[in-house]
């Protein structure tokens, strides 16, 4: 035992009852006691043999734990300890924040906000409306460059990680530490999708933990392609564009299906800072970022060096203004009408419209051309156009000069006085009461109560036919016709043809003093063009879901008849005279029969031309939003010029077709229309006499000065009306093209001719020689 003690082995004490031997003696001296002697032991300071041996036993252990290896062992040891404790802490945080989340069994992908895709008749996209601004596309339907570019720059190990990428996170930490600022992020595409779908943008530890948990859940529930598609269809690309389809439309005016490599690099580059790197805001920054994306794609093997060079030449230098183009007026109109047709939009839908995109562009260009050329010098700042076919389908609509500058739709929402463009309803009502285009009225000063309407040129033509009066837009004749028809009858006919606005039943309605919209006025003219059928204006043909289920389809294929064929044909021929010989000469279309009517309000505040061919009825308005007067602009000026430019472009390549009735007056033996003729010396217009009868007696009576024409002036019915009647006085508002400024109570019949002198030359009588010579 003594030997083992000297060798350093521990000697266990024995408490057996046998006698102790010297070599295994167990004893305590004074130094070993807890409370020992107060005096130092005598005999020097040499330690007892037992304590010296104990010190010798400890020295090798101390030497054994020293040095570099001992330090490394301690570092590793404590690192393991810290790692274990950190793991326990992280697990605790995950459990804590996870417990604050709803049960995973209740997790579901939020519905993507519905998109409304609005298309033209050829299927091309006019616009997208909705929170996202574009439809959702599968990976197979979008350009393959887009997912490749996004993976290369945002998450190169997307297809290999499990939702969280420790290697990517470590690389980002090292890169950011080396750079001294934030250069890379450590979130995967799955984490970004989880954040966008479920979480708020705030940066907190709780949100980060929840993001990781949701990313793991997404990876378990969906495939990689599904996750990538969801990400690309929901991520924000700047400028109110969510998803690649909306971004492609926004920046390149094309579908994500057609995006090339350079454009895909721009889109992928936007994800880092959508607002700052937007090509609409900073084209140089967007292109620089796109070069980095191309380099990353080359590094990942997605593209070759030659493709990189090609892509650099494809990268767009700038993005056009998105909120421009007349198509947006159409899109706004569609969105206003949709709730009334299908209710709330709860899923992606496709709205097929009646719009022809080529006509839409031509319509917008025609207005811009005229405004740019003459608008400035004539103080005309705005214009609008509506073009409708015989069924009421709107083929083109322009609500203003520039949608980006003003989104107000002047073609649909603005109500203005139509001026003399309202007169066709007055004439049609007169024809329904038995008059004909040959009926003769006296164009002379007239007074209706206190109202004295005047012609635009303050000149009078004497005896004129209704055809001549409409072509020349004679206000005195129109006023007489209203009194002959009665304002109520004119209003009923206008409403029957398609005017929906409230009309005031007074004499000045003949001159278009009641306000209407350009669209309803134009649609009402379509009834003249199509042979007498109502043309209800509509822009939506069909509404379907993305899967093809029909939600709505219009039913305007069986319109009601609102005019007889005879009256429609006679009105067409009379309005042809407006373009051929009257106030609308600027609207002539070479090779085509066209009819229409000009309209101008008082002081040239508004100018209109509404006309039609056998294919289209088009209305054009020029004016200013604030009602400021233009410089002597009439309906036969700027509006007629824009109308002609659009209609010529719209009919290019089409074979000319005649108007309904072929431009012939029913019952006209000569196949023509009675028109006022100019005198040989260029003086005042003369009236072509129209015999009231084709009998020999009638002709001879006219030739020899008989009284056969004594009753050819239809008299206005006498209907006394006090100034304080329900209709009230004629309003002093802009009374329309060619009108005077007087107004007052209606006291029919009007006094025609009065004591005032006319400036016209009396029409000459037809002589027997004329008849013999066939004149």
């Amino acid at each position: 035992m003594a030997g083992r003690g000297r060798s350093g082995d521990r000697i266990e004490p024995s408490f057996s009852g046998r006698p102790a031997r010297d070599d295994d003696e167990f004893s305590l001296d004074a130094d070993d006691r807890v409370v020992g002697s107060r005096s130092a032991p005598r005999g020097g300071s040499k330690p007892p043999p037992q304590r010296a041996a104990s010190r010798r036993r400890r020295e090798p252990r101390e030497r054994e734990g020293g040095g570099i290896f001992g330090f490394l062992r301690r570092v590793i040891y404590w690192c393991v300890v810290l790692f274990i404790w950190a793991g326990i802490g992280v697990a605790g945080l995950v459990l804590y924040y996870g417990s604050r989340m709803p049960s995973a069994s209740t997790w579901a992908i939020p519905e993507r906000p519905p998109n409304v895709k609005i298309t033209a008749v050829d299927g091309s996209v006019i616009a997208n409306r909705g929170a996202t601004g574009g439809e959702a596309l599968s990976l197979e339907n979008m350009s393959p460059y887009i997912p490749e570019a996004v993976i290369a720059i945002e998450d190169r190990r997307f297809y290999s990680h499990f939702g969280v990428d420790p290697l990517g996170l470590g690389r980002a930490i090292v890169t950011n530490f080396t750079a001294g600022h934030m250069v890379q992020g450590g979130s995967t595409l799955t984490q970004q999708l989880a954040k966008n779908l479920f979480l708020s943008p705030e940066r907190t530890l709780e949100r980060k933990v929840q993001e990781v948990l949701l990313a793991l859940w997404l990876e378990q529930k969906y495939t990689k392609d599904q996750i990538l598609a969801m990400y690309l269809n929901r991520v924000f690309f700047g400028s109110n564009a969510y998803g690649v389809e909306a971004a492609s439309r926004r920046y390149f005016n094309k579908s994500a299906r057609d995006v090339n490599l350079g454009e895909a690099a721009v889109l992928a580059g936007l994800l880092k800072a959508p607002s700052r790197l937007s090509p609409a805001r900073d084209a140089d920054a967007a292109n620089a970022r796109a070069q980095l994306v191309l380099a990353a794609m080359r590094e990942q093997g997605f593209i070759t060096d030659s493709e990189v060079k090609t892509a650099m030449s494809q990268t767009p230098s700038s993005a056009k203004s998105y909120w421009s183009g007349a198509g947006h007026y159409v899109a706004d109109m569609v969105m206003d009408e949709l709730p009334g047709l299908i209710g709330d939009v709860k899923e992606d839908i496709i709205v097929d419209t009646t719009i022809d995109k080529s006509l839409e562009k031509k319509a917008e260009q025609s207005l811009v051309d005229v405004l740019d050329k003459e608008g400035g010098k004539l103080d005309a700042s705005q214009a609008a156009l509506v073009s409708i076919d015989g069924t009421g389908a709107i083929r083109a609509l322009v609500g203003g000069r520039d949608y980006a500058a003003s989104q107000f739709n002047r073609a649909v929402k603005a109500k203005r006085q139509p001026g003399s463009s309202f007169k066709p309803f007055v004439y049609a009502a007169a024809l329904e009461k038995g008059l004909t285009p040959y009926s003769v009225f006296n164009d002379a000063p007239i007074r209706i109560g206190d109202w004295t309407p005047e012609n635009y040129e303050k000149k009078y033509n004497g005896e004129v036919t209704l055809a001549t009066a409409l072509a020349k837009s004679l206000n005195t004749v129109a006023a007489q016709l209203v009194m002959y028809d009665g304002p109520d009858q004119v209003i009923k006919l206008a409403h029957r043809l398609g005017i929906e606005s409230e009309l005031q039943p007074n004499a000045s309605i003949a001159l278009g003093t009641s306000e209407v919209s350009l669209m309803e006025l134009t649609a009402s003219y379509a009834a003249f063009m199509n042979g007498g059928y109502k043309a209800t204006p509509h822009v939506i043909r069909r509404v379907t879901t993305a899967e093809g289920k029909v939600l709505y389809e219009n039913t305007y294929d069986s319109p009601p008849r609102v005019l007889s064929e005879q009256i429609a044909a006679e009105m067409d021929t009379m309005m042809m005279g407006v373009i051929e010989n009257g106030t609308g000469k600027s609207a002539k279309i070479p090779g085509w029969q066209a009819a229409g009517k000009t309209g101008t309000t008082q002081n040239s505040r508004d100018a209109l031309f509404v006309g039609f061919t056998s294919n289209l009825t088009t209305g054009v308005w020029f004016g200013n939003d604030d009602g400021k007067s233009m410089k002597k602009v009439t309906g036969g000026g700027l509006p007629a010029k824009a109308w002609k430019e659009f209609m010529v472009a719209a009919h290019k390549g089409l074979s000319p077709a005649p108007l309904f009735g072929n431009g012939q007056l029913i019952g006209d033996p000569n196949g023509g229309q009675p028109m006022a003729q100019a005198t040989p010396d260029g003086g005042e217009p003369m009236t072509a006499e129209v015999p009231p009868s084709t009998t020999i007696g009638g002709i001879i009576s006219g030739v020899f000065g008989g009284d056969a024409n004594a009753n050819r002036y239809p008299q206005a019915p006498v209907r006394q009306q006090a100034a304080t009647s329900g209709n009230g006085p004629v309003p002093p508002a802009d009374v329309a093209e060619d009108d005077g400024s007087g107004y007052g109570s209606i006291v029919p019949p009007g006094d025609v001719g009065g004591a005032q002198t006319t400036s016209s030359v009396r029409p000459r009588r037809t002589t027997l020689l004329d008849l013999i010579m066939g004149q």
Side-chain angles (χ1 to χ4, degrees), residues 50-70:
Q50 295 86 348
R51 299 185 62 186
S54 176
R55 187 179 297 113
R56 284 195 302 271
R57 286 195 298 269
R58 289 196 299 268
E59 286 177 357
R61 293 174 181 255
E62 292 174 357
R63 289 193 301 270
E64 203 173 277
I68 187 64
F69 294 106

Side-chain angles (χ1 to χ4, degrees), residues 385-410:
L385 181 150
V386 181
S387 189
I388 298 175
D389 69 13
T391 68
I394 300 174
R395 297 304 183 187
L397 184 145
V398 183
R401 179 173 188 165
D402 183 4
Y403 183 86
S406 172
Q407 292 78 52
F408 181 66
N409 193 334
R410 295 156 187 82

Side-chain angles (χ1 to χ4, degrees), residues 449-747:
D450 294 331
W451 182 42
T452 55
E454 297 177 332
N455 293 332
Y456 181 71
E457 295 179 350
K458 303 296 193 299
K459 297 178 181 179
Y460 304 94
N461 299 271
E463 299 173 359
V464 294
T465 62
L466 291 189
T468 298
L470 181 61
K472 300 298 183 182
S473 196
L474 303 179
N475 289 340
T476 61
V477 175
Q480 293 177 64
L481 284 176
V482 165
M483 303 316 302
Y484 177 81
D485 304 332
D488 291 338
Q489 295 303 314
V490 174
I491 291 173
K492 288 179 180 179
L493 182 138
H495 284 163
R496 195 167 76 230
L497 268 60
I499 297 293
E500 297 180 350
S501 299
E502 182 180 358
L503 303 174
Q504 298 301 319
N506 50 46
S508 68
I509 194 175
L511 308 184
T513 54
S514 291
E515 296 178 341
V516 298
S517 71
L518 179 64
M519 185 176 71
E520 61 184 319
L521 181 65
T522 304
S524 298
Y525 270 55
F528 298 123
M529 178 260 275
N530 65 23
Y533 291 95
K534 184 174 183 179
T536 302
H538 59 279
V539 72
I540 298 177
R541 292 191 300 118
R542 185 186 302 107
V543 181
T544 59
T545 65
E547 291 74 28
K549 179 183 177 182
V550 177
L551 302 178
Y552 166 82
E553 194 159 11
N554 74 45
T555 56
Y556 297 113
D557 53 351
S558 299
R561 176 171 287 281
V562 291
L563 280 178
S564 69
E565 292 185 1
Q566 176 176 339
I567 292 177
E570 290 176 342
M571 287 301 302
D572 286 3
T573 304
M574 291 171 69
M575 284 191 279
M576 281 180 60
V578 175
I579 293 179
E580 294 296 328
N581 305 291
T583 57
K585 293 179 181 179
S586 297
K588 286 184 180 180
I589 304 177
W592 284 83
Q593 286 185 354
K597 186 67 187 75
T598 57
T600 311
T601 60
Q602 193 175 46
N603 298 323
S604 294
R605 294 183 181 179
D606 302 281
L608 303 93
F609 185 84
V610 186
F612 51 87
T613 63
S614 56
N615 290 327
L616 293 173
T617 300
T618 301
V620 179
W621 166 86
F622 275 75
N624 297 297
D625 287 337
D626 58 2
K628 178 183 177 182
S629 297
M630 298 176 286
K631 293 181 179 178
K632 296 184 178 180
V633 175
T634 65
L638 301 185
K641 293 177 181 178
W643 186 90
K644 176 181 179 179
E645 180 177 334
F646 166 72
M647 293 293 272
V648 167
H651 289 75
K652 186 176 182 180
L654 301 179
S655 299
L659 290 173
F660 183 78
N662 199 27
Q664 303 296 317
L665 291 174
I666 297 178
D668 177 14
N670 299 318
Q673 62 174 319
M675 292 295 299
Q677 305 295 328
T679 57
D681 59 359
E684 295 300 324
M686 303 280 292
T687 302
E689 297 277 355
V690 181
S693 172
T694 58
T695 64
I696 296 297
I699 296 176
I700 294 176
S701 297
V703 171
F704 292 99
D707 198 28
N709 295 327
N711 295 320
R712 59 188 176 150
Y713 299 100
Q715 297 299 310
V718 178
R719 291 182 296 162
Q720 190 69 26
Q721 177 179 321
T724 57
S725 67
N727 293 331
V730 178
D734 301 346
V735 290
E737 178 183 39
D738 318 335
D739 65 326
S741 58
Y743 61 94
S745 59
I746 305 172
V747 187

Side-chain angles (χ1 to χ4, degrees), residues 95-291:
L95 290 174
Y96 172 71
Y97 289 127
S99 65
R100 294 164 59 92
M101 299 175 66
S103 172
S105 61
T106 64
W107 295 356
I109 299 296
E111 291 293 333
R112 185 176 184 268
N115 178 71
V116 179
K117 179 181 177 181
I118 303 169
T119 65
V121 290
D122 61 355
S124 60
V125 176
I126 294 175
N128 285 281
R129 286 289 187 269
T132 56
E135 62 182 312
L137 299 179
S138 64
L139 291 184
E140 294 78 14
N141 288 332
M142 67 179 68
S143 168
Y145 294 122
I146 294 176
E148 291 175 354
V150 171
I151 289 174
I153 197 66
E154 290 291 321
D155 190 358
R156 63 184 62 183
R157 272 180 293 277
F158 172 73
Y159 279 100
S160 61
H161 62 63
F162 53 88
V164 179
D165 185 9
L167 294 178
L169 180 62
R171 183 188 72 252
I173 293 174
V174 172
T175 302
N176 295 335
F177 179 79
T178 303
H181 58 89
M182 188 68 175
V183 176
Q184 291 183 2
S187 295
T188 64
L189 292 180
T190 312
Q191 287 177 263
Q192 295 179 44
L193 176 62
K195 178 179 66 176
N196 292 335
L197 289 177
F198 302 103
L199 303 174
S200 64
E202 60 180 344
R203 297 185 177 185
T204 63
L205 180 60
E206 178 179 6
R207 190 200 62 79
K208 196 66 178 178
V209 171
Q210 292 174 344
E211 176 187 302
V212 171
L213 292 176
L214 290 167
L216 297 176
W217 174 78
L218 287 171
E219 291 279 346
Q220 292 297 316
K221 191 171 181 64
Y222 299 97
T223 66
K224 288 287 188 178
D225 285 349
Q226 288 175 325
I227 291 173
L228 184 58
M230 282 191 286
Y231 177 84
L232 292 175
N233 282 307
R234 295 174 186 249
V235 68
F236 180 57
F237 284 93
S239 298
N240 293 322
Y242 290 83
V244 291
E245 178 68 7
S248 299
R249 299 273 180 194
R250 166 65 182 88
Y251 297 118
F252 314 127
N253 195 30
K254 64 169 63 174
S255 172
R257 300 174 177 85
D258 307 318
V259 165
N260 60 39
L261 176 56
E263 293 162 343
V266 171
L267 293 178
L270 286 170
L271 298 176
K272 180 180 180 181
S275 298
R276 180 171 58 84
L277 296 176
S278 168
R281 177 179 179 180
D282 191 339
D284 293 336
N287 289 339
R289 178 66 176 172
Q291 303 306 315

